[in-house]
Amino acid sequence: MDSVRTPDSGTADETPAEASVTPAPAPEAFGRKVRSAARWSLINTVVMRLGNFATGILLARFALGPAEWGVYGIAQTVLLVLLSANELGVGLAIVRWDGDPRRFAPTVLTLGTLSSGLLYAAIFVSAPTVAGLLDSPGASGVLRVMCLCLVIDGIAQVPAGFLTREFAQGRRMVIDALNFVLSTTVTLVLAFAGWGAMSFAWGAVAGNIAALVGCALAAPGTLRFGWDREQARALLKFGLPLAGASLLALAVVNVDTMVVGSTLGQVWLGFYVLAFNMSGWPVRIISEAARRVSFAGFSRLADSPQALAQGFSRALGVLVTGTVPLCVLLAGLAGPVVQLVYGEQWLPAAKALPWLMALGLVRIGCELAYDCLVAAGQRRSLILVQGLWLVALVPVLIVGARLHGIVGVSQAHVLVAVGLVVPVFLYALGRAGIGLSPIARACAWPLFGGAVMGLVILAAKHLLGDGVLALFVIGTAALACYVVCVLPSRRLLLGPRTAEAV
């Protein structure tokens, strides 16, 4: 892997061993710390996502229509893409580098704030042009407000990085709760007052301000600006490749929104955004919780290829086992679930949902592989993988949109991900010392259980129909079959209590 020296003192001849001020944690203590952080992160993510789910139902049923969701989708897409590069990737040094991060954190904070401020100035000026290119001129004002989150995030990434480094997910849960309460309150009040998509923008800004204040209080003394030229040079050398890979990764996830908006219009974009958000439920609930600890955990194992391979395969097994049943249920019961939750006017979104659920399952594995490759120092491989994904995806998405609308876009996503991206990620993981065999063992039983679930759902729908009571009966029967199918993998999932696994 690429070695990264911590520029704590700015002296060129300091060795990594001298820079490190804390010994590596014992395997037992480290394992307990990671498991505790993972539990808090999962609880946090589940609670927040359930809250967001309930908020989305209220807005979709009573306040906003497909056109407003389309404008929100455009603004959210632009914001997410810009967030991937707003602090130039240097914030990850707080989590990844050895030594005392407080010695180089002021330089990280200065770089992040400057870069995010410049990005916001650029999007403020170009917002009308960007909105026009995406065939959504009404999104200009929403873009200018929502992208204020760039500057807030550029400042918050240092205290947030300290919390991630220390696996302080209990404190993060309190911070995220404050973010959720404030952002949701502002969004709902403004939406029911008739502000349309702008309600999302001001809600996001209010929530991000609350998160910044919370992070600063939870990690006191970290919001201190400073500058060291040698540190800045080393940070940019470390961060720019990661920022490039992250930018490409988010472009891959969000380029479909731009294609749908410019090809099919705001109304169909609203349907697609709703379906895509639904497909992200399992990804956000399970994968997001894991990613808050996976990078820090993989970073501790990166010097041992065997430990890294074991940690990755176990983490992948846990993620896939927890995600497959959710994906299969939402894919097999797409129409009834959309109608039950959001109402009949949103039924067109259900046509794209099964394909997007398959994509969500692939994304979970790819995101975990991404974190593992970053920790292993394979930054160049990440840029190549993400670049290849984006280049192959754009023309296929355009063809899919013109042939079959939002269903064609969803199918195009799955075709490129399964046919091209997964094999390339497997090759990159192999170069990092993680072979195909442990990955196959981690995924075999969950995928088998998912196939059995699919057959049970198809047969039960034919017999029972798709009423509300039938949905619960079918879901319960399918989940019971899945649990039986994955029981043989429980030893891999639980693992030894003292293992250095993520």
Side-chain angles (χ1 to χ4, degrees):
M1 60 174 282
D2 298 333
S3 60
V4 180
R5 187 182 64 83
T6 307
D8 291 335
S9 63
T11 56
D13 57 350
E14 184 180 0
T15 66
E18 292 167 339
S20 181
V21 297
T22 55
E28 296 85 353
F30 178 61
R32 287 194 299 269
K33 197 171 188 178
V34 172
R35 285 192 292 271
S36 175
R39 283 194 295 269
W40 276 112
S41 182
L42 180 59
I43 294 169
N44 180 14
T45 306
V46 170
V47 172
M48 294 304 107
R49 292 307 168 189
L50 287 175
N52 285 326
F53 169 61
T55 304
I57 294 174
L58 287 174
L59 292 172
R61 276 188 170 271
F62 305 113
L64 303 176
E68 288 83 5
W69 279 92
V71 173
Y72 164 65
I74 290 292
Q76 183 188 46
T77 297
V78 174
L79 174 62
L80 289 175
V81 171
L82 293 178
L83 280 172
S84 66
N86 74 318
E87 40 83 36
L88 304 177
V90 298
L92 286 176
I94 300 292
V95 181
R96 179 67 182 89
W97 282 4
D98 295 327
D100 183 3
R102 292 181 182 272
R103 302 180 68 177
F104 57 87
T107 305
V108 174
L109 181 60
T110 301
L111 280 171
T113 304
L114 286 174
S115 62
S116 60
L118 290 173
L119 266 180
Y120 178 73
I123 194 61
F124 185 91
V125 172
S126 61
T129 303
V130 173
L133 290 174
L134 298 175
D135 196 28
S136 185
S140 176
V142 179
L143 270 174
R144 285 173 167 168
V145 174
M146 186 172 284
C147 286
L148 284 168
C149 297
L150 286 171
V151 181
I152 302 169
D153 179 78
I155 299 171
Q157 42 96 18
V158 169
F162 275 87
L163 297 178
T164 300
R165 182 185 179 98
E166 297 301 322
F167 300 97
Q169 293 303 316
R171 281 175 279 172
R172 280 298 300 267
M173 182 173 179
V174 175
I175 294 167
D176 288 345
L178 292 173
N179 182 339
F180 170 76
V181 169
L182 188 56
S183 64
T184 300
T185 301
V186 172
T187 300
L188 288 173
V189 169
L190 295 181
F192 282 97
W195 285 53
M198 186 64 78
S199 59
F200 287 112
W202 283 115
V205 171
N208 274 266
I209 291 174
L212 170 59
V213 174
C215 286
L217 293 175
T222 56
L223 286 182
R224 183 168 58 88
F225 290 92
W227 186 257
D228 184 291
R229 183 179 300 176
E230 293 300 319
Q231 290 178 0
R233 184 179 295 114
L235 286 165
L236 290 173
K237 183 179 179 181
F238 168 81
L240 284 175
L242 297 180
S246 181
L247 181 62
L248 289 171
L250 275 172
V252 165
V253 175
N254 293 285
V255 70
D256 53 354
T257 302
M258 301 180 183
V259 170
V260 173
S262 59
T263 305
L264 303 175
Q266 287 185 18
V267 173
W268 278 106
L269 176 59
F271 290 130
Y272 183 80
V273 168
L274 186 81
F276 195 90
N277 287 343
M278 288 184 68
S279 73
W281 292 347
V283 177
R284 294 185 183 121
I285 289 176
I286 297 176
S287 180
E288 187 176 301
R291 294 191 78 188
R292 288 187 173 184
V293 298
S294 64
F295 177 67
F298 289 147
S299 296
R300 304 299 197 277
L301 305 176
D303 292 331
S304 171
Q306 182 179 0
L308 183 63
Q310 291 174 350
F312 177 79
S313 62
R314 184 177 171 224
L316 180 64
V318 171
L319 287 181
V320 174
T321 301
T323 308
V324 164
L326 300 176
C327 290
V328 174
L329 283 175
L330 284 175
L333 304 172
V337 169
V338 169
Q339 183 171 3
L340 175 66
V341 174
Y342 292 104
E344 192 172 349
Q345 66 166 329
W346 292 97
L347 271 177
K351 298 178 181 178
L353 189 55
W355 296 97
L356 290 175
M357 295 314 307
L359 174 66
L361 185 59
V362 174
R363 280 174 54 201
I364 284 177
C366 291
E367 287 174 357
L368 190 71
Y370 181 98
D371 289 345
C372 184
L373 291 172
V374 171
Q378 300 290 327
R379 298 190 293 276
R380 184 176 300 176
S381 297
L382 283 175
I383 293 177
L384 292 175
V385 171
Q386 301 294 348
L388 178 64
W389 194 346
L390 183 62
V391 169
L393 184 61
V394 172
V396 182
L397 286 176
I398 294 173
V399 173
R402 291 178 176 173
L403 290 178
H404 301 293
I406 61 173
V407 176
V409 171
S410 307
Q411 292 170 335
H413 253 312
V414 176
L415 176 64
V416 175
V418 174
L420 176 65
V421 178
V422 169
V424 175
F425 260 118
L426 290 175
Y427 175 75
L429 288 170
R431 292 188 60 190
I434 302 173
L436 186 60
S437 178
I439 295 174
R441 285 197 301 270
C443 297
W445 288 110
L447 293 180
F448 171 70
V452 173
M453 274 189 76
L455 294 175
V456 170
I457 289 174
L458 289 175
K461 281 177 64 178
H462 180 72
L463 294 174
L464 303 176
D466 54 7
V468 175
L469 180 60
L471 285 181
F472 286 104
V473 173
I474 293 170
T476 302
L479 285 173
C481 292
Y482 179 78
V483 170
V484 172
C485 291
V486 298
L487 280 178
S489 65
R490 63 187 182 279
R491 184 172 299 177
L492 170 67
L493 301 180
L494 296 175
R497 298 295 294 178
T498 60
E500 289 185 74
V502 177

